[in-house]
Amino acid sequence: MKIGIITFWDSSDNYGQIMQCFALQHYLRLQGHRPFLIRFSPAPHRDGRLKRLARILRPSHVISYIAYRRALRAGAAFDAKHPRAFGAFRERHLVLSERIYRSLEELRRERWDADALICGSDQIWSPSPNIDSYFLRFAPITMPKIAYATSFGRSVLPEPYAARLTSLLKGFRAVGLRETEGAVLCREAGYARAELVCDPTLLLDRAYYLRTILGKEEAATGDHGFFYLINWPTQIPLDEIRRHAAQHGQPIRFFPAHGLELDGTEPYGDLTIEAWLESIASARWVVTNSFHGTVFAILQHRPFVTLPLCGSSESMNGRIRTLLERLGLADRMYTGERPIDELLTSPIDWDETDRLLAEFRASSERFLADALTERRPDEPTAPTVCFRSNGGINHDFGGLDRVTELLADYFASRGCKVYYLSHTRRPGTSNDRQYYLPDAARVRTPANIAYFNDFVRSKKVDLLIDQEGNVDNRLPLAPDLTHIVRLTVLHFNPNYITENHFRHKFTTSGHLPRPIRRVCAALFELAPVRRRGLKLLRDRLVRNYIAQCNDCDQFVMLSDRFRRELSALFGERPLPENICAINNPATFAFREIDFAKKKKRLLYVGRLERNQKRVDLIVEVWKKLAAEFPDWELDIVGGGPDEEALKRQAQHIRGVRFHGIRNPAPFYEEASVCCFASSAIEGWGMVLVEAQAMGCVPIAFDTYSALHDIIEDEATGCLVANDDLQEYALRLARLMRDEPLRRAMAERSIRAAERFRLDLIGEQWLTLFDTIRRTKDTRS
């Protein structure tokens, strides 16, 4: 198996950290696997501007910063004098990922070429801003997740962390902890299978380290004592250690961490990992406050004393106590009751220690072997997915089709089989995924129902996604297919029947002769008729939603903010409980934006239509600004029923350019501002996310609630009160004049759009499927 491992790895002075990386990789290689280290080195967490400013102004911060800079200089000087060469050791002994990842987002963006992911060992689960990464929250849902020898570094977690632990552990195939307290924390969080395992450095024997790192079978015992300290608070009986060394005529080899100075104690000349290992293997005795210093003293059968950490770090002693108790060596922890000399000269029954270590190692090896080979019954699998739609899927036909294709491609990349099953044919929709119901005239016919059920059986469909939640095209599943997960998606604002519904219907619809349309338009202008008509339509819509919710496992809207509109539509009737929300994904792959390419251009992308998209309002706003901004232009990309009317509207306005249906990516690349004016009918607004991802600042009328999922006003774009053309023009003019403001908004927009990356949204769909599937399995 190819196995990715995430753990701490980039220290320049922590020998144990490097050795645990070495050990787990080499052990897995010996078992025939192909492990590699995921080089995760997170960027420093930054507070908001106000917090940073308040901190900078505090005198204590200034003092701390000066001390920090002094320590950096001292560390650099120390490294120059005593190079540890950790980088060279990693390059020589470890398989590393090609790139270094700086954030959870970057990890999630990667398409992992691996059969499983392991987090551990080390204290990677100690509280930090990067905890999600170390809990493998970037792993695809179907990829096995294993924790091996991880550590919390404490016995009690901060309350916010403890509250999240249950969800963080969800989806792990196996969890192995390095200390008893950690296993208890996981069990209390509901992960009953948490086990105690040995640190990976204990999976290899002493001979392997000597042979692989030092190139020798044995290390002859020298005349020195070995003293290794990590830079954590410790009560150090330095006089006792020196006295013991002097009494036995043994010089001390002192290996310190950065920033650690002891009066009268000089670091050993060669501080490489090779020298560290050789110094332990050949030492007369070992004194250390390090977990891994203790481990290697045990592996090399050296008399040792472990100094416990103290103060705020005392809770980190759990892993050392667990190990010493497991190996019958608890008396080697220094308490002050017995002098160092007595501890170092008292014999250790190494045969008994090796027997206990062999048992511990064997149980840990079984844990790893089972975790890598045995799939749990409740483990996520890649489902076979069928998208249902009215027309054949083709991205040229609109947002629903583009979203369907994006999700289908993502599911396929995660090992899913994907099909489209449609009612009516469209030009250009012939592909390997596309299938059609036999009766195109009507949906719910015996022929279509029979074909539908046979199709689901023969393709072994696990997940059925109906993309047409606004219309009732439901087809019943046979009793033997009720295990299938059914999701229905609404791609509109739930209450899309607006007060102007009839006005637009009878002025733009081409389905009725013009005289009849005029009569109907006049009739529905009468308030009682309009109210009655709207009530009938909305009641029918509510009945449709209720029927859809009763027939599916989950009814999915594009934004949770739409609950307000749905509640208003339902009135006194309670909302169905199986309603959730998943945002649409961004269309483009995210990449670095070259702001030098940006030009003084406004951009509209979308269907050229005045009812829902209201492109005519954008033209009207530009008419107010065209003369004031002679070096700016308005590009309109798209086609639609009102294209000619819009061209007539714009024919005497400077700087308006119609480009027809084109790939919008090059236009986003060059445009500085994206103009949006859609009505309350809109369901999402993919062009807004596309614009943000390309560093093109969006401005929109605030007509529907999901807009607030995408745009934070004055931060990642501008939201203007609906139909206020004057305000729209003023806000737009400000953006056009103020380039620094525009650039700042664009940079924030790019970061904000990362929330809608395809991998993040795709995993939400797969997680929803897995949750429902588990619930169905439990009930059955």
Side-chain angles (χ1 to χ4, degrees):
M1 296 177 70
K2 190 171 184 180
I3 303 169
I5 303 170
I6 189 168
T7 185
F8 297 152
W9 65 279
D10 56 354
S11 172
S12 59
D13 69 336
N14 189 327
Y15 297 87
Q17 181 191 104
I18 308 304
M19 294 309 294
Q20 60 92 11
C21 290
F22 171 95
L24 187 54
Q25 268 209 27
H26 281 250
Y27 174 78
L28 291 171
R29 283 190 215 168
L30 291 173
Q31 310 312 307
H33 300 296
R34 293 173 291 132
F36 65 95
L37 175 71
I38 298 170
R39 293 192 293 167
F40 177 54
S41 185
H45 175 71
R46 299 189 68 186
D47 291 324
R49 289 182 181 178
L50 291 178
K51 282 189 176 181
R52 291 203 303 272
L53 181 61
R55 190 174 63 246
I56 289 170
L57 294 177
R58 286 202 306 267
S60 59
H61 172 78
V62 175
I63 295 170
S64 299
Y65 181 74
I66 293 171
Y68 166 72
R69 297 298 299 179
R70 186 182 295 123
L72 283 182
R73 289 193 296 272
F78 183 93
D79 285 343
K81 187 177 179 181
H82 301 283
R84 301 181 200 248
F86 280 13
F89 183 89
R90 283 188 288 260
E91 293 289 340
R92 188 161 57 251
H93 291 288
L94 300 179
V95 177
L96 309 170
S97 62
E98 290 186 7
R99 61 172 293 192
I100 296 176
Y101 301 89
R102 299 295 185 187
S103 66
L104 175 63
E105 287 69 29
E106 289 187 7
L107 289 166
R108 281 175 166 165
R109 203 177 304 151
E110 186 65 67
R111 296 293 179 90
W112 293 104
D113 177 22
D115 301 300
L117 293 176
I118 293 178
C119 58
S121 65
D122 223 324
Q123 298 181 68
I124 59 171
W125 285 358
S126 59
S128 80
N130 305 296
I131 202 67
D132 287 75
S133 300
Y134 293 117
F135 271 92
L136 300 174
R137 301 284 277 190
F138 58 90
I141 189 172
T142 56
M143 187 171 288
K145 298 195 300 181
I146 300 162
Y148 185 77
T150 52
S151 173
F152 291 96
R154 61 192 65 207
S155 56
V156 179
L157 297 177
E159 182 55 37
Y161 186 177
R164 290 192 65 208
L165 187 55
T166 299
S167 64
L168 289 170
L169 290 167
K170 182 181 177 182
F172 272 88
R173 176 182 282 187
V175 173
L177 282 302
R178 200 165 59 178
E179 70 275 332
T180 304
E181 294 92 335
V184 171
L185 287 172
C186 290
R187 290 169 191 152
E188 289 176 347
Y191 197 96
R193 300 184 303 276
E195 296 184 32
L196 186 68
V197 297
C198 70
D199 188 80
T201 51
L202 291 166
L203 294 172
L204 303 173
D205 60 27
R206 64 189 300 269
Y208 187 88
Y209 289 108
L210 296 177
R211 184 169 60 251
T212 307
I213 296 175
L214 300 181
K216 57 176 68 173
E217 295 297 325
E218 288 292 337
T221 303
D223 63 351
H224 66 278
F226 182 76
F227 187 25
Y228 171 48
L229 293 177
I230 55 176
N231 197 6
W232 293 99
T234 310
Q235 293 293 335
I236 304 170
L238 187 56
D239 289 341
E240 285 191 55
I241 296 168
R242 285 175 172 158
R243 192 160 48 247
H244 175 82
Q247 286 174 356
H248 296 275
Q250 297 160 348
I252 298 174
R253 290 188 183 178
F254 175 46
F255 277 62
H258 281 162
L260 187 62
E261 297 178 1
L262 297 178
D263 292 340
T265 304
E266 289 293 324
Y268 188 64
D270 182 358
L271 295 183
T272 61
I273 289 180
E274 290 81 0
W276 181 85
L277 177 61
E278 190 278 330
S279 294
I280 296 176
S282 60
R284 292 283 182 178
W285 49 264
V286 173
V287 176
T288 183
N289 67 346
S290 156
F291 174 80
H292 286 103
T294 301
V295 163
F296 279 89
I298 294 170
L299 286 173
Q300 301 297 331
H301 288 186
R302 298 296 91 197
F304 72 95
V305 171
T306 299
L307 307 176
L309 305 182
C310 61
S312 60
S313 302
E314 186 175 359
S315 61
M316 296 167 60
N317 291 321
R319 55 190 176 143
I320 298 180
R321 287 199 183 95
T322 296
L323 175 65
L324 295 180
E325 290 169 1
R326 185 72 181 252
L327 300 183
L329 298 171
D331 62 334
R332 312 309 292 188
M333 181 80 87
Y334 181 74
T335 63
E337 295 178 2
R338 298 172 63 192
I340 291 287
D341 183 69
E342 181 182 330
L343 286 170
L344 289 177
T345 54
S346 62
I348 295 175
D349 186 347
W350 290 114
D351 289 339
E352 177 63 8
T353 298
D354 286 347
R355 184 187 70 79
L356 294 172
L357 176 56
E359 291 179 358
F360 197 13
R361 181 183 288 152
S363 65
S364 301
E365 288 177 332
R366 283 195 300 273
F367 170 89
L368 258 180
D370 291 347
L372 290 169
T373 58
E374 293 187 8
R375 183 182 173 277
R376 295 199 323 267
D378 62 344
E379 198 166 310
T381 56
T384 297
V385 183
C386 176
F387 287 95
R388 275 203 61 209
S389 63
N390 182 44
I393 298 299
N394 184 333
H395 62 269
D396 288 337
F397 283 89
L400 183 151
D401 297 73
R402 293 206 304 277
V403 168
T404 302
E405 287 188 349
L406 285 169
L407 290 174
D409 289 342
Y410 179 79
F411 294 159
S413 75
R414 289 300 183 259
C416 303
K417 293 180 180 177
V418 183
Y419 303 100
Y420 307 144
L421 182 60
S422 303
H423 177 215
T424 59
R425 296 178 182 269
R426 280 174 172 166
T429 55
S430 296
N431 58 67
D432 292 341
R433 294 174 178 161
Q434 185 69 64
Y435 292 81
Y436 291 97
L437 295 171
D439 188 346
R442 292 179 300 158
V443 177
R444 204 174 289 113
T445 63
N448 283 348
I449 293 171
Y451 181 91
F452 171 63
N453 281 275
D454 289 343
F455 180 88
V456 168
R457 283 193 198 95
S458 63
K459 300 299 183 185
K460 295 181 172 59
V461 172
D462 303 295
L463 172 59
L464 190 63
I465 302 177
D466 189 339
Q467 294 283 60
E468 309 277 358
N470 59 308
V471 293
D472 189 358
N473 285 334
R474 293 171 298 132
L475 292 174
L477 281 173
D480 64 310
L481 299 175
T482 54
H483 63 281
I484 292 171
V485 174
R486 300 190 72 167
L487 305 177
T488 298
V489 189
L490 180 64
H491 286 269
F492 296 88
N493 182 329
N495 192 2
Y496 61 82
I497 299 175
T498 67
E499 291 297 312
N500 296 322
H501 176 79
F502 294 111
R503 180 179 302 168
H504 292 300
K505 181 178 182 64
F506 296 122
T507 57
T508 62
S509 174
H511 299 298
L512 295 172
R514 181 171 294 181
I516 296 178
R517 278 193 281 139
R518 287 177 177 173
V519 171
C520 290
L523 181 63
F524 280 95
E525 282 297 309
L526 300 174
V529 178
R530 185 175 65 253
R531 283 197 300 269
R532 181 62 178 165
L534 290 174
K535 185 179 186 308
L536 289 172
L537 289 178
R538 287 168 179 166
D539 284 347
R540 188 171 70 179
L541 190 58
V542 169
R543 290 196 298 271
N544 171 58
Y545 290 151
I546 292 173
Q548 299 276 17
C549 289
N550 288 338
D551 206 41
C552 68
D553 294 293
Q554 206 77 24
F555 188 81
V556 185
M557 301 185 296
L558 300 185
S559 169
D560 206 49
R561 297 176 189 269
F562 279 141
R563 285 184 184 273
R564 184 179 63 189
E565 281 86 344
L566 198 59
S567 294
L569 182 65
F570 271 59
E572 298 298 320
R573 288 166 288 200
L575 292 183
E577 294 183 357
N578 60 332
I579 295 175
C580 68
I582 299 179
N583 299 145
N584 272 341
T587 305
F588 300 136
F590 286 83
R591 59 182 184 272
E592 199 71 29
I593 302 301
D594 183 1
F595 282 98
K597 289 184 177 180
K598 291 293 181 185
K599 298 178 181 178
K600 293 183 177 182
R601 289 183 185 167
L602 309 179
L603 176 65
Y604 170 82
V605 174
R607 192 166 69 255
L608 301 189
E609 186 260 350
R610 291 179 293 185
N611 178 17
Q612 179 181 345
K613 301 299 182 180
R614 306 200 302 176
V615 194
D616 54 317
L617 299 187
I618 293 174
V619 176
E620 280 301 307
V621 168
W622 174 243
K623 183 179 179 180
K624 297 175 181 291
L625 301 175
E628 184 181 350
F629 295 92
D631 51 346
W632 282 75
E633 294 176 322
L634 170 62
D635 287 330
I636 296 178
V637 177
D642 294 327
E643 182 172 354
E644 291 306 316
L646 289 167
K647 286 180 177 178
R648 288 193 298 273
Q649 179 187 358
Q651 63 183 345
H652 298 303
I653 305 173
R654 188 204 60 78
V656 183
R657 303 188 301 179
F658 289 83
H659 297 274
I661 298 175
R662 302 274 296 278
N663 175 8
F667 294 92
Y668 286 126
E669 235 173 3
E670 293 187 349
S672 294
V673 181
C674 176
C675 297
F676 189 85
S678 287
S679 72
I681 298 174
E682 193 74 52
W684 181 240
M686 289 184 67
V687 297
L688 297 173
V689 179
E690 292 171 351
Q692 287 182 327
M694 300 291 282
C696 182
V697 179
I699 180 170
F701 283 119
D702 191 358
T703 51
Y704 60 100
S705 55
L707 274 172
H708 293 262
D709 282 2
I710 303 170
I711 297 176
E712 181 185 353
D713 191 29
E714 287 297 310
T716 61
C718 297
L719 291 174
V720 181
N722 188 29
D723 292 332
D724 192 337
L725 297 185
Q726 187 62 28
E727 180 66 16
Y728 198 114
L730 289 173
R731 300 280 294 277
L732 180 56
R734 177 168 164 254
L735 279 176
M736 295 163 72
R737 287 193 197 96
D738 195 336
E739 184 174 354
L741 172 67
R742 207 166 59 239
R743 172 70 178 266
M745 277 197 187
E747 289 174 345
R748 287 194 293 267
S749 293
I750 293 168
R751 293 194 295 271
E754 291 271 339
R755 297 170 296 161
F756 309 118
R757 285 201 331 269
L758 177 59
D759 59 325
L760 302 183
I761 302 301
E763 287 303 311
Q764 289 182 42
W765 281 100
L766 291 176
T767 300
L768 178 61
F769 159 75
D770 186 60
T771 302
I772 296 171
R773 180 187 62 82
R774 291 188 190 193
T775 302
K776 281 176 170 273
D777 289 348
T778 302
R779 289 173 180 170
S780 61

